[in-house]
Amino acid sequence: MNYYSLNRKVPIASFKEAVIKGLAADRGLYFPESIKSLPNSFFENIDQLSNTEIAFEAIKQFVLPEISELELKHIINETLSFEFPVIKINDKISTLELFHGPTMAFKDVGARFMARCLGHFNQDNTEEVTVLVATSGDTGGAVANGFLGVKGVNVVILYPSGKVSDIQEKQLTTLGQNITALEVDGVFDDCQNMVKRAFLDEDLTDKMQLTSANSINVARWLPQLFYFLFTYKKLYKTHQNIVFTVPSGNFGNICAGMIAQQLGMPVKHFVAANNANHVVTDYLQTQDYNPKPTTATISNAMDVGNPSNFARIQEIYNNNFNTLKSNLSSYHFSDEDTKNAMLELFNKYNYVADPHGAVGYLGSKEFLKTNPDAHCVFLETAHPVKFLDVVEEVIKEKQELPKQIKAIIHKEKVATKIASYNELKDFLLGT
Ligand SMILES: *Cc1c(COP(=O)(O)O)cnc(C)c1O
């Protein structure tokens, strides 16, 4: 499959080029040249297929022939090494738990898939690729874990000192091997700006192949469509009018679900659930897209003022506002609403949600008010212990640490402190 840049100022790229570059040279996001629906029989008989078979059929058109069928099956098997449970909350609402992977957030799926694609493309290459990534929390851990030990790939993660949770910091700083953590004296935006500057710095790009590992990268974005299909498989025989409610930040996850819809998955509608950062909610009301600086919230992985994947969503619906509106609704909620939802889920349904999942639950409830015939599935995007402080404060119950966390919590942190762009540059040129 070839990919074009949404800015349309550069030639098309192969899957391999799109993965290695991350973002096109005209700063546009890559988008597949065509999306071919799967046959109706695929969806009618989807319960006969295993998750790895579903994933293979769904993604092969985007990846072949640059990765062979055999290699793709291998990559999928390694990526999907954990469960994707769908839990019933009540008759109208279920939740898709995406936190059973190694770093306990949904980003594990995309990070593991992308790491293996990049490792594959780079196996005969003498030049190493450096993945440079800024994180406010979950991305760094998923990328570090996904790329650990991948030959020919070095990973450099920038995180803001003192601004990520203890568990998140351990996930970034205790792995070693080809993973380096840089602890930046600053906030997330400082990390992000340093990374952006590095991608444009010819002193660096002449000497090394730099790439990104956030949802801009097609190999991280597209595999996120898998678990929408797995959920459909679990529910389609017993539920009608399935609607996905996705707690959204950069809108990569929801946009992957929309690709599953383009493949023919009979899903009725999508709901983007947002916190105080709600440029898309406003857009759907006013048709005026107005990016804003971010506001800090307790669902901090969704604190995004200008979601990068929104351009892809526009493209999916042919830049037609009415088509978009008939497929997407969006609501936003305050931290206070979010805490009340966490409490309601716990008291009424005995379900412990993290703040992001709780925003998703609220989105489902809101949608059902005007669409009572829907069955809403909200995505629980991270394990509640990743946000231990808020969760324990709200539900007033101590949480048991899962084994993935117990295994790292006592390991020693190794990070290099930096305070300026020049220190980042020196570090990269020295390695
Ligand atoms: C990254 C993240 C999100 C937002 O996902 P997008 O694809 O950026 O919309 C939501 N919840 C959690 C826990 C995350 O880590």
Side-chain angles (χ1 to χ4, degrees), residues 106-107 138 247-253 301-302 356 381-382:
F106 78 89
K107 294 184 173 78
D138 286 334
S248 293
N250 253 327
F251 281 67
N253 210 10
M302 290 153 46
H356 304 79
T381 45

Side-chain angles (χ1 to χ4, degrees), residues 110-161:
R112 289 164 74 78
F113 189 87
M114 181 188 160
R116 283 158 181 81
C117 290
L118 202 55
H120 173 76
F121 290 140
N122 228 35
Q123 62 193 354
D124 308 317
N125 201 338
T126 44
E127 201 199 351
E128 296 199 317
V129 174
T130 300
V131 173
L132 193 59
V133 58
T135 185
S136 57
D138 286 334
T139 299
V143 168
N145 195 285
F147 282 83
L148 182 67
V150 174
K151 278 207 214 80
V153 183
N154 285 317
V155 177
V156 179
I157 299 166
L158 284 74
Y159 74 97
S161 184

Side-chain angles (χ1 to χ4, degrees), residues 355-374:
H356 304 79
V359 172
Y361 169 69
L362 287 169
S364 296
K365 279 192 22 172
E366 197 59 38
F367 185 76
L368 284 164
K369 282 184 188 163
T370 45
N371 299 274
D373 61 342

